[in-house]
């Protein structure tokens, strides 16, 4: 049975984040070295400087199988990281997690909600559009 719960200990998602990072490294057209050189501990340092963050984790028998991590800083919301193992995709879990994260961000009166999509991972853009998030160009 799957359990979805909020966590505060970011270390619980380290293996999942590493799997996501490997995915980015393999699929990135131009930034393989960037993904090769970043480690989890460096990545989560950002969360020392945010106003608040929320981590929701999908577990089976206490083993993390997916997560979504969002943060708020200066009334701006961000979906920082989002990953579910392949064998759990297509079950509606990603939609469920993303909807909950958007609700949490909106309930905290954020002005914007952003998420960066890594080059080479454009396959997720359709999913984000389906969920009401759209691309912008800077």
């Amino acid at each position: 049975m799957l359990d979805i719960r909020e966590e505060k200990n970011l270390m619980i998602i380290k293996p999942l984040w590493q799997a996501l990072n490997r995915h980015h490294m393999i699929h990135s057209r131009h930034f393989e070295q960037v993904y090769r050189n970043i480690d989890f501990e460096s990545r989560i340092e950002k969360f020392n400087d945010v106003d608040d963050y929320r981590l929701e984790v999908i577990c089976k028998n206490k083993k993390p199988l997916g997560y979504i991590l969002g943060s708020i800083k200066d009334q701006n919301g961000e979906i920082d990281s989002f990953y579910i193992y392949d064998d759990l995709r297509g079950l509606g879990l990603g939609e469920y997690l993303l909807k909950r994260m958007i609700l949490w961000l909106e309930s905290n009166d954020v002005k914007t909600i952003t998420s960066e999509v890594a080059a080479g991972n454009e396959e997720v853009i359709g999913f984000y559009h389906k969920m009401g998030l759209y691309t912008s160009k800077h």
Side-chain angles (χ1 to χ4, degrees):
M1 183 168 145
L2 295 176
D3 172 38
I4 300 175
R5 64 177 186 258
E6 185 179 353
E7 290 282 343
K8 277 300 185 187
N9 179 5
L10 296 176
M11 293 303 290
I12 193 170
I13 61 167
K14 184 175 180 176
L16 291 163
W17 180 89
Q18 290 170 325
L20 175 61
N21 198 50
R22 281 190 299 277
H23 174 84
H24 287 154
M25 199 177 345
I26 291 167
H27 293 92
S28 175
R29 290 184 296 275
H30 308 289
F31 303 104
E32 177 185 343
Q33 200 60 36
V34 171
Y35 295 110
R36 186 176 308 287
N37 290 332
I38 191 167
D39 65 11
F40 181 72
E41 290 74 15
S42 297
R43 175 67 173 97
I44 64 170
E45 282 181 12
K46 167 194 175 176
F47 297 94
N48 293 327
D49 295 324
V50 298
D51 300 327
D52 198 4
Y53 69 88
R54 183 179 182 95
L55 170 63
E56 291 202 5
V57 182
I58 302 168
C59 294
K60 184 174 184 178
N61 300 325
K62 298 185 180 182
K63 180 184 178 194
L65 302 174
Y67 72 92
I68 190 165
L69 176 60
S71 64
I72 300 170
K73 181 161 176 82
D74 301 326
Q75 290 187 296
N76 295 304
E78 183 171 356
I79 298 163
D80 295 279
S81 190
F82 186 21
Y83 185 75
I84 298 174
Y85 281 134
D86 289 345
D87 57 343
L88 289 180
R89 293 183 188 168
L91 302 175
L93 295 168
E95 288 181 23
Y96 180 76
L97 287 179
L98 187 55
K99 284 178 184 176
R100 286 175 52 92
M101 183 59 67
I102 291 170
L103 284 172
W104 177 76
L105 291 167
E106 290 174 343
S107 73
N108 282 280
D109 298 320
V110 298
K111 294 178 184 173
T112 62
I113 298 175
T114 61
S115 183
E116 291 185 14
V117 174
N121 199 31
E122 291 87 354
E123 65 194 37
V124 303
I125 291 175
F127 171 74
Y128 281 125
H129 286 182
K130 182 174 128 180
M131 300 300 296
L133 301 173
Y134 298 97
T135 55
S136 67
K137 294 183 180 181
H138 297 283

